[in-house]
Amino acid sequence: MYELLIENIRSKVAISEAEEEQLKKYFIPKKYRKRQYLLNGGDICKYFSFVVDGLIRSFTVDDKGHEHVVQFAAEGWWVSDMGSFLEETEAMYHIEAIEDVEVLNLTKPAMEEMLNELPVMERYFRILMQKNIVTLQQRVVADHSLTAEEKYLRLMEIYPKLIHRAPQQQVASYLGITPETLSRIRKQVAEKGD
Amino acid sequence: MTTSKTIAIIGASGSMGTAISSSLAKTGNYSLLLMSDQTESLPELKSSLEQYHSNTQVHIIDCAKEASWEADIIILATPFQAEKDLAEKIREVATGKIVISIANPLNSTFDGFVTTPDTSAAEELQKLLPNSTVIKAFNTTFAADFAHTVIDGKQVDSFIAGDQETALNTVAELVAGVGFNPIIAGDLKVSRTLENMQLLMIQLGMKYNYNWLAGWKILHN
């Protein structure tokens, strides 16, 4: 249940066995069914979720009712509406299980308690957040400057297995292109690869 | 499906389990996971629950650990004697979750408790599940009361005890949702009083033939 999380923590910081054991008490183990919502937009996001198994997406819905995928989160990734989670404001995002999902949920009070009692986790989250900011900045630049094909190749690099797990419509939505364009790009990329 | 809460009812085929499941299903506010060792009656219960409200989703799960893993709130609608084994099974996956203790630790002759006076079924469960939040609820209401939350023109009181405010409020909301008047009685130690109140109610029920349709009501100005 905690192996992947501990592996993830160990990849960023040095953590003792006693600390590994202690951190378990802060996380709520939870399963969601395919298509179940972890968060409904407009609610207050109560959890910062570490994905142990399965695939999750976060998305927004515009005034016309169109969905825009913001993030995919598979095994080893964290997902949340951070603004809502930290500020306790209404969530901008919906978060949905694309597959049956197992996560470890962290509430804000549990997270605060953990960071106070386990300084090593403060360091872990600092490194995690740093990486997250870098990724977000790259994403902003990518959105402005990359072609659709380049965006697709970038996605393959970040989420190599995801391309085949997520519905193509959602992958297209993440890239900001139509499913038809995605299909054409995939063909082009496959042909180049041959 | 939205971010509605998922509730596991362990012991769903018993009289209390069925009564609680039915009441929760009628609210349409929760996804329900039914678990029982007596699995044969669950499919029928599931179909009847699903008819109460179009929003109600019901799943049968044949393992207490799996049901508790998927749940946000766990209701142990089981006898006190079963709680030790159950706690072992669900301990790891119940971390950080509300576990509702409905049990009264009655002896076999219904004239006393198997627990000592310095503790309660709820406190014993909390010791077994140190990383969960045990809340005492529904121990002062008979199964029949769930279908008749108003008796003699008065809404039946339903007492709640526990040590964590947010969890108490969550359970109070749940209790109100099924039609009872929720009263947060105090911390988990107050469970001793609540369990004794129901011992008295059971004894009086047998003596005066209340026919299991009786409940507590505090009259006040």
Side-chain angles (χ1 to χ4, degrees), chain A residues 1-2 24-33 35-40 43 46-47 95 102-103 105, chain B residues 1-6 31 33 59-61 65-66 68-72 92-97 131:
Chain A
M1 196 186 298
Y2 300 97
K24 291 176 184 175
K25 73 173 182 183
Y26 305 106
F27 289 89
I28 304 171
K30 177 90 168 97
K31 288 187 174 184
Y32 295 91
R33 289 171 191 251
R35 284 201 263 283
Q36 192 174 356
Y37 278 57
L38 284 75
L39 172 68
N40 198 30
D43 288 354
K46 282 170 57 190
Y47 303 121
I95 302 180
E102 180 195 334
V103 297
N105 279 335
Chain B
M1 199 187 283
T2 64
T3 33
S4 70
K5 286 197 168 62
T6 301
S31 291
L33 307 172
H59 300 281
I60 295 170
I61 297 188
K65 182 178 176 180
E66 279 298 321
S68 303
W69 202 339
E70 193 180 332
D72 296 297
E92 195 180 23
V93 295
T95 299
K97 298 182 184 181
N131 293 327

Coordinates of all heavy atoms in Angstrom, one line a residue, chain A residues 1-2 24-33 35-40 43 46-47 95 102-103 105, chain B residues 1-6 31 33 59-61 65-66 68-72 92-97 131:
Chain A
M1 N 0.8 -1.2 0.0 CA 0.0 0.0 0.0 C 0.9 1.3 0.0 O 0.5 2.2 -0.7 CB -0.9 0.0 1.2 CG -2.0 0.9 1.2 SD -2.9 1.0 2.8 CE -3.5 -0.7 2.9
Y2 N 2.0 1.2 0.8 CA 2.8 2.4 0.9 C 4.1 2.3 0.1 O 4.9 3.3 0.1 CB 3.1 2.7 2.4 CG 1.9 2.9 3.2 CD1 1.4 1.8 4.0 CD2 1.3 4.1 3.3 CE1 0.3 2.0 4.8 CE2 0.2 4.3 4.1 CZ -0.3 3.2 4.8 OH -1.4 3.4 5.6
K24 N 3.0 6.7 7.8 CA 1.8 6.0 7.3 C 0.6 6.5 8.0 O -0.5 6.5 7.4 CB 2.0 4.5 7.6 CG 3.0 3.8 6.8 CD 3.2 2.3 7.1 CE 4.3 1.7 6.3 NZ 4.5 0.3 6.7
K25 N 0.7 6.9 9.2 CA -0.5 7.3 10.0 C -1.2 8.6 9.5 O -2.3 8.9 9.8 CB -0.2 7.4 11.5 CG 0.6 8.6 11.9 CD 0.7 8.8 13.4 CE 1.4 10.0 13.7 NZ 1.7 10.2 15.1
Y26 N -0.5 9.3 8.6 CA -1.0 10.6 8.2 C -1.9 10.4 6.9 O -2.6 11.3 6.5 CB 0.1 11.6 7.9 CG 1.0 11.9 9.0 CD1 2.3 11.3 9.1 CD2 0.5 12.6 10.1 CE1 3.1 11.5 10.2 CE2 1.4 12.8 11.2 CZ 2.6 12.3 11.2 OH 3.4 12.5 12.3
F27 N -1.7 9.3 6.2 CA -2.4 9.1 4.9 C -3.6 8.3 5.0 O -3.7 7.3 5.7 CB -1.4 8.4 4.0 CG -0.3 9.3 3.5 CD1 0.9 9.4 4.2 CD2 -0.4 10.1 2.4 CE1 1.9 10.2 3.8 CE2 0.6 10.9 2.0 CZ 1.8 11.0 2.7
I28 N -4.7 8.7 4.3 CA -5.9 7.9 4.3 C -5.9 7.1 3.0 O -5.9 7.6 1.9 CB -7.1 8.9 4.2 CG1 -7.1 9.9 5.4 CG2 -8.4 8.1 4.2 CD1 -8.2 11.0 5.2
P29 N -5.9 5.7 3.2 CA -5.9 4.9 2.0 C -7.3 4.8 1.5 O -8.3 4.7 2.2 CB -5.5 3.5 2.6 CG -5.2 3.7 4.0 CD -5.8 5.0 4.5
K30 N -7.4 5.0 0.1 CA -8.7 5.1 -0.4 C -8.7 4.6 -1.9 O -7.8 4.7 -2.6 CB -9.1 6.6 -0.4 CG -10.4 7.0 -1.1 CD -11.6 7.0 -0.1 CE -12.8 7.6 -0.7 NZ -13.8 6.7 -1.2
K31 N -9.9 4.0 -2.2 CA -10.0 3.5 -3.6 C -11.2 4.2 -4.2 O -12.2 4.6 -3.5 CB -10.3 2.0 -3.6 CG -9.1 1.1 -3.2 CD -9.4 -0.3 -3.4 CE -8.1 -1.1 -3.2 NZ -8.3 -2.6 -3.4
Y32 N -11.1 4.5 -5.5 CA -12.2 5.1 -6.2 C -12.5 4.2 -7.4 O -11.6 3.6 -8.0 CB -11.8 6.5 -6.7 CG -11.6 7.5 -5.6 CD1 -10.3 7.7 -5.1 CD2 -12.6 8.3 -5.1 CE1 -10.1 8.6 -4.1 CE2 -12.4 9.2 -4.1 CZ -11.2 9.4 -3.6 OH -10.9 10.3 -2.6
R33 N -13.7 4.2 -7.8 CA -14.1 3.4 -9.0 C -13.9 4.3 -10.3 O -14.0 5.5 -10.2 CB -15.5 3.0 -8.9 CG -15.7 1.9 -7.9 CD -17.1 1.6 -7.6 NE -17.2 0.7 -6.4 CZ -17.5 -0.5 -6.4 NH1 -17.8 -1.1 -7.5 NH2 -17.4 -1.2 -5.3
R35 N -14.5 6.4 -13.3 CA -15.5 7.5 -13.5 C -16.0 8.2 -12.2 O -16.8 9.1 -12.2 CB -16.7 7.1 -14.3 CG -16.3 7.0 -15.8 CD -17.5 7.1 -16.7 NE -18.0 5.8 -17.1 CZ -17.4 5.0 -18.0 NH1 -16.4 5.5 -18.7 NH2 -17.9 3.9 -18.4
Q36 N -15.5 7.7 -11.1 CA -15.9 8.4 -9.8 C -15.1 9.7 -9.7 O -13.9 9.7 -10.1 CB -15.6 7.4 -8.6 CG -16.3 7.9 -7.3 CD -16.1 6.9 -6.2 OE1 -15.6 5.8 -6.4 NE2 -16.6 7.3 -5.0
Y37 N -15.7 10.7 -9.1 CA -15.0 12.0 -8.9 C -14.3 12.0 -7.5 O -14.9 11.7 -6.5 CB -16.0 13.1 -8.9 CG -16.3 13.6 -10.3 CD1 -16.9 12.6 -11.3 CD2 -16.1 14.9 -10.8 CE1 -17.2 13.0 -12.6 CE2 -16.4 15.3 -12.1 CZ -17.0 14.3 -12.9 OH -17.3 14.7 -14.2
L38 N -13.0 12.3 -7.6 CA -12.3 12.6 -6.3 C -12.6 14.0 -5.8 O -12.6 14.2 -4.6 CB -10.8 12.5 -6.5 CG -10.1 11.1 -6.7 CD1 -10.4 10.5 -8.1 CD2 -8.6 11.2 -6.5
L39 N -12.9 14.8 -6.8 CA -13.3 16.2 -6.4 C -14.2 16.7 -7.5 O -14.0 16.5 -8.7 CB -12.0 17.1 -6.5 CG -12.2 18.6 -6.3 CD1 -12.7 18.9 -4.9 CD2 -10.9 19.3 -6.6
N40 N -15.3 17.4 -7.0 CA -16.2 18.0 -7.9 C -15.9 19.5 -7.9 O -15.8 20.2 -6.8 CB -17.6 17.8 -7.4 CG -18.7 18.0 -8.4 OD1 -18.5 17.8 -9.6 ND2 -19.9 18.4 -7.9
D43 N -16.5 22.4 -5.1 CA -16.4 22.0 -3.7 C -15.0 22.4 -3.2 O -14.2 22.9 -4.0 CB -16.4 20.4 -3.6 CG -17.8 19.9 -3.8 OD1 -18.7 20.7 -3.9 OD2 -17.9 18.6 -3.9
K46 N -10.3 18.7 -0.4 CA -9.8 18.3 0.9 C -8.5 17.5 0.9 O -7.9 17.3 1.9 CB -10.9 17.4 1.6 CG -12.1 18.3 2.1 CD -13.2 17.4 2.6 CE -12.8 16.4 3.6 NZ -13.9 15.4 3.8
Y47 N -8.2 17.0 -0.3 CA -7.0 16.1 -0.3 C -5.9 16.4 -1.3 O -6.2 16.9 -2.4 CB -7.5 14.7 -0.7 CG -8.6 14.1 0.3 CD1 -9.8 13.8 -0.2 CD2 -8.3 14.0 1.6 CE1 -10.8 13.3 0.6 CE2 -9.3 13.5 2.5 CZ -10.6 13.1 1.9 OH -11.5 12.7 2.8
I95 N -11.7 16.5 -10.5 CA -10.7 15.4 -10.6 C -11.5 14.1 -10.6 O -12.3 13.8 -9.8 CB -9.8 15.5 -9.3 CG1 -9.1 16.8 -9.3 CG2 -8.8 14.3 -9.4 CD1 -8.1 17.0 -8.1
E102 N -6.4 3.5 -6.8 CA -6.0 3.5 -5.4 C -5.1 4.7 -5.1 O -4.1 4.9 -5.8 CB -5.3 2.2 -5.1 CG -4.9 2.0 -3.6 CD -3.9 0.9 -3.4 OE1 -3.8 0.0 -4.1 OE2 -3.1 1.1 -2.4
V103 N -5.5 5.4 -4.1 CA -4.6 6.6 -3.7 C -4.3 6.6 -2.2 O -4.9 5.9 -1.4 CB -5.3 7.9 -4.1 CG1 -5.6 8.1 -5.6 CG2 -6.6 8.1 -3.3
N105 N -4.5 9.6 0.5 CA -5.0 11.0 0.6 C -4.4 11.6 1.8 O -4.4 11.0 2.9 CB -6.6 11.0 0.7 CG -7.2 10.9 -0.6 OD1 -6.7 11.2 -1.7 ND2 -8.5 10.4 -0.6
Chain B
M1 N -21.1 10.9 -11.1 CA -20.9 10.8 -9.7 C -20.1 12.0 -9.2 O -19.1 12.4 -9.8 CB -20.2 9.5 -9.3 CG -20.4 9.1 -7.8 SD -19.4 7.7 -7.4 CE -20.4 6.4 -8.2
T2 N -20.5 12.6 -8.1 CA -19.7 13.8 -7.6 C -18.9 13.3 -6.3 O -18.8 12.2 -6.1 CB -20.7 14.9 -7.2 OG1 -21.5 14.5 -6.2 CG2 -21.5 15.3 -8.4
T3 N -18.5 14.3 -5.6 CA -17.7 14.0 -4.4 C -18.6 13.6 -3.2 O -18.4 14.1 -2.1 CB -16.7 15.2 -4.0 OG1 -17.4 16.4 -4.3 CG2 -15.4 15.1 -4.7
S4 N -19.6 12.8 -3.4 CA -20.4 12.4 -2.3 C -19.6 11.4 -1.5 O -18.7 10.7 -2.0 CB -21.7 11.7 -2.8 OG -21.4 10.5 -3.5
K5 N -20.0 11.2 -0.3 CA -19.2 10.3 0.6 C -19.6 8.9 0.4 O -20.8 8.6 0.1 CB -19.5 10.7 2.1 CG -18.7 11.9 2.5 CD -18.7 12.1 4.0 CE -17.7 13.1 4.4 NZ -18.1 14.5 3.9
T6 N -18.7 8.0 0.5 CA -18.9 6.6 0.4 C -18.9 6.0 1.8 O -18.0 6.2 2.6 CB -17.8 5.9 -0.5 OG1 -17.8 6.5 -1.7 CG2 -18.1 4.4 -0.6
S31 N -22.9 7.1 -1.4 CA -22.7 5.8 -2.1 C -22.5 4.7 -1.0 O -21.8 5.0 0.0 CB -21.4 5.8 -2.9 OG -21.6 6.6 -4.0
L33 N -21.6 0.8 0.4 CA -21.0 -0.4 0.2 C -21.5 -1.4 1.2 O -21.3 -1.2 2.4 CB -19.5 -0.3 0.3 CG -18.8 0.8 -0.5 CD1 -17.3 1.0 -0.1 CD2 -18.9 0.5 -2.0
H59 N -23.1 -0.9 -3.8 CA -22.3 -2.0 -4.3 C -22.2 -3.1 -3.2 O -22.1 -2.7 -2.0 CB -20.9 -1.6 -4.6 CG -20.8 -0.5 -5.7 ND1 -20.9 -0.8 -7.0 CD2 -20.7 0.8 -5.6 CE1 -20.9 0.3 -7.8 NE2 -20.8 1.3 -6.9
I60 N -22.1 -4.3 -3.6 CA -21.9 -5.4 -2.6 C -20.4 -5.8 -2.6 O -19.9 -5.9 -3.7 CB -22.7 -6.7 -2.9 CG1 -24.2 -6.3 -2.8 CG2 -22.4 -7.8 -2.0 CD1 -25.1 -7.4 -3.4
I61 N -19.8 -5.8 -1.4 CA -18.4 -6.1 -1.4 C -18.3 -7.3 -0.4 O -18.8 -7.2 0.8 CB -17.5 -4.9 -1.0 CG1 -17.7 -3.8 -2.1 CG2 -16.1 -5.3 -0.8 CD1 -16.7 -2.6 -1.9
K65 N -12.3 -5.6 4.6 CA -11.1 -4.8 4.3 C -11.3 -4.0 3.0 O -11.1 -2.8 3.0 CB -9.8 -5.6 4.2 CG -8.6 -4.8 4.0 CD -7.3 -5.6 3.9 CE -6.1 -4.7 3.6 NZ -4.9 -5.5 3.5
E66 N -11.8 -4.7 1.9 CA -12.0 -4.0 0.7 C -13.0 -2.9 0.8 O -12.9 -1.8 0.3 CB -12.4 -5.0 -0.4 CG -11.3 -5.8 -1.0 CD -10.3 -4.9 -1.8 OE1 -10.7 -3.9 -2.5 OE2 -9.1 -5.2 -1.7
S68 N -13.9 -1.3 3.5 CA -13.4 -0.2 4.3 C -12.4 0.7 3.6 O -12.3 1.9 3.8 CB -12.8 -0.7 5.6 OG -13.7 -1.5 6.3
W69 N -11.6 0.0 2.7 CA -10.6 0.7 1.9 C -11.3 1.7 1.0 O -10.8 2.8 0.8 CB -9.9 -0.4 1.0 CG -8.5 0.0 0.6 CD1 -8.0 1.3 0.4 CD2 -7.5 -0.9 0.2 NE1 -6.7 1.2 0.0 CE2 -6.4 -0.1 -0.2 CE3 -7.4 -2.3 0.1 CZ2 -5.2 -0.7 -0.7 CZ3 -6.2 -2.9 -0.4 CH2 -5.1 -2.1 -0.8
E70 N -12.4 1.3 0.4 CA -13.1 2.2 -0.6 C -13.9 3.3 0.2 O -14.3 4.3 -0.4 CB -14.0 1.4 -1.5 CG -14.5 2.1 -2.7 CD -15.4 1.3 -3.6 OE1 -15.2 0.0 -3.6 OE2 -16.3 1.8 -4.2
A71 N -14.2 3.1 1.4 CA -15.1 4.0 2.1 C -14.5 5.2 2.7 O -13.3 5.3 2.9 CB -15.7 3.2 3.3
D72 N -15.3 6.3 2.9 CA -14.9 7.4 3.6 C -15.3 7.3 5.1 O -14.6 7.7 6.0 CB -15.6 8.7 3.1 CG -15.2 9.0 1.7 OD1 -14.0 9.3 1.5 OD2 -16.0 9.0 0.8
E92 N -5.5 -1.2 8.9 CA -4.6 -0.5 8.0 C -5.4 0.5 7.0 O -5.0 1.6 6.8 CB -3.8 -1.5 7.2 CG -2.6 -0.9 6.5 CD -1.8 -1.9 5.7 OE1 -2.4 -3.0 5.3 OE2 -0.6 -1.6 5.4
V93 N -6.5 0.0 6.5 CA -7.2 0.8 5.5 C -8.2 1.8 6.1 O -8.8 2.6 5.4 CB -8.0 -0.1 4.5 CG1 -7.0 -0.9 3.7 CG2 -9.0 -1.0 5.2
A94 N -8.4 1.7 7.4 CA -9.3 2.6 8.1 C -8.6 3.8 8.7 O -9.2 4.7 9.3 CB -10.0 1.9 9.3
T95 N -7.3 4.0 8.4 CA -6.5 5.1 8.9 C -7.1 6.4 8.4 O -7.4 6.6 7.2 CB -5.0 5.0 8.4 OG1 -4.5 3.8 8.9 CG2 -4.2 6.2 8.8
G96 N -7.3 7.3 9.4 CA -7.8 8.7 9.0 C -9.3 8.7 8.7 O -9.8 9.7 8.4
K97 N -10.0 7.6 8.9 CA -11.4 7.5 8.6 C -12.3 7.5 9.8 O -11.8 7.1 10.9 CB -11.7 6.3 7.7 CG -11.0 6.3 6.4 CD -11.3 5.1 5.5 CE -10.4 5.2 4.3 NZ -10.7 4.1 3.3
N131 N -5.5 4.8 14.7 CA -5.3 5.8 13.7 C -6.6 6.2 13.0 O -6.7 6.9 12.0 CB -4.3 5.4 12.6 CG -2.9 5.3 13.2 OD1 -2.6 6.1 14.1 ND2 -2.1 4.4 12.8

